Amino acid sequence: MGRKPGFYSDIGKGARGLLHGYVHQPPIHYRLGWFNLSFHLLSEIDRIVRGLSAAFQVVMPYQRSSMVEVQYLHDFAGITMGASLTRSPVVNFSSVLGTSSYNIGTAISVDTLLGQLSQWDAGLSLNTRFLSAAVTLTEMGNVLSASCYSEPLRGTAVAAELTHRFWHDQTVFRFGGQHSLTESTRFKVQAGTDGNISAAVRHTCFSAVILTIAGELNVRAMRSSKMGISCSFHHALLRHFSSSMGIPFSIEFEQ
């Protein structure tokens, strides 16, 4: 484990990746009946100079998710600045101070179209060889979350999260696990006290193609469920330049 703190998006990243985002589409997507479809392209340039990298992302049709971003990583700080690729962009800034073992950070977004602060998040994390724990305050102070992530065995991970929404006075506990069935196939599942259950299988083909099949069901609303299939392609064009393209496809069932 290196001593650098990483970036704000790394706070709680392990638990977030295991417990959320099984069947996901951007707020605006192509829709035909039960079918939802979107496209995204991500290009990254690593180590432009020491500690400096850049990323370029295009999302169709939701262009407010399309953005250009610059990151700088120092021994005790990580800074990210970015803007959406629209006429009136959303400007993002985040920073983290500390080390890889313990750090604290914040992230803000300003919507230049409305001329107001659209996001303010804060978080802190504690990381050891066996456990990563994080506490975050998101959605403009509405959501307080505490999460932990651990890999007790090789190829196996578990995560838990407790979330409280102040405006709705709602508390949800979520737990999940992940296991590598083979070197190229990974299975994960999560369940929450809100009735949400999700599962996904991810398979890597030819080291550059990733196929994911996921399903989501809320046992408190049995009339609706979701199934998603996504395919992404990753290719390292040059030593410090890589590009990936993803096609998330989802189906919503309602009775």
Side-chain angles (χ1 to χ4, degrees):
M1 181 182 293
R3 66 175 185 174
K4 296 183 179 181
F7 302 103
Y8 182 81
S9 58
D10 295 325
I11 296 179
K13 182 178 181 179
R16 187 168 61 249
L18 202 160
L19 300 174
H20 299 279
Y22 282 69
V23 181
H24 175 72
Q25 289 285 355
I28 298 176
H29 49 265
Y30 298 113
R31 185 179 181 91
L32 181 61
W34 290 349
F35 301 92
N36 304 298
L37 183 67
S38 60
F39 303 90
H40 74 258
L41 174 66
L42 174 66
S43 298
E44 298 176 307
I45 304 176
D46 187 28
R47 295 182 62 182
I48 300 174
V49 295
R50 184 179 179 182
L52 185 67
S53 60
F56 175 81
Q57 176 177 272
V58 175
V59 178
M60 294 293 292
Y62 188 56
Q63 295 192 7
R64 286 182 75 82
S65 288
S66 301
M67 61 177 298
V68 59
E69 186 175 81
V70 177
Q71 297 179 326
Y72 178 72
L73 184 61
H74 189 263
D75 288 343
F76 301 104
I79 299 173
T80 302
M81 294 178 290
S84 61
L85 302 178
T86 55
R87 179 173 298 180
S88 300
V90 176
V91 180
N92 307 309
F93 174 81
S94 67
S95 63
V96 172
L97 298 175
T99 67
S100 59
S101 299
Y102 47 88
N103 52 69
I104 185 171
T106 186
I108 61 173
S109 295
V110 178
D111 191 329
T112 59
L113 177 63
L114 301 177
Q116 64 183 25
L117 189 69
S118 60
Q119 175 190 352
W120 175 79
D121 299 339
L124 58 90
S125 67
L126 174 65
N127 306 295
T128 68
R129 292 181 59 184
F130 307 103
L131 180 71
S132 295
V135 176
T136 59
L137 186 64
T138 59
E139 296 187 15
M140 305 291 286
N142 175 40
V143 180
L144 178 65
S145 300
S147 64
C148 61
Y149 174 88
S150 179
E151 297 181 359
L153 300 172
R154 182 178 179 182
T156 301
V158 293
E161 179 187 68
L162 184 65
T163 300
H164 180 74
R165 293 181 177 272
F166 294 101
W167 298 345
H168 298 88
D169 193 23
Q170 179 187 37
T171 301
V172 176
F173 176 74
R174 201 172 301 280
F175 180 82
Q178 175 179 280
H179 182 68
S180 296
L181 304 176
T182 66
E183 292 185 359
S184 58
T185 304
R186 181 183 302 171
F187 174 78
K188 66 178 183 177
V189 62
Q190 70 83 27
T193 57
D194 58 352
N196 183 273
I197 300 174
S198 306
V201 176
R202 171 175 167 169
H203 182 71
T204 303
C205 312
F206 312 112
S207 73
V209 180
I210 299 175
L211 178 65
T212 303
I213 301 176
E216 185 177 298
L217 172 69
N218 193 309
V219 296
R220 295 184 180 180
M222 296 296 291
R223 293 183 177 181
S224 64
S225 59
K226 297 179 182 179
M227 186 183 75
I229 301 174
S230 67
C231 185
S232 61
F233 309 87
H234 180 84
H235 183 61
L237 302 176
L238 299 171
R239 182 178 179 181
H240 299 299
F241 179 78
S242 63
S243 181
S244 63
M245 181 180 69
I247 307 174
F249 172 83
S250 63
I251 307 173
E252 296 183 9
F253 301 97
E254 294 187 358
Q255 298 179 355

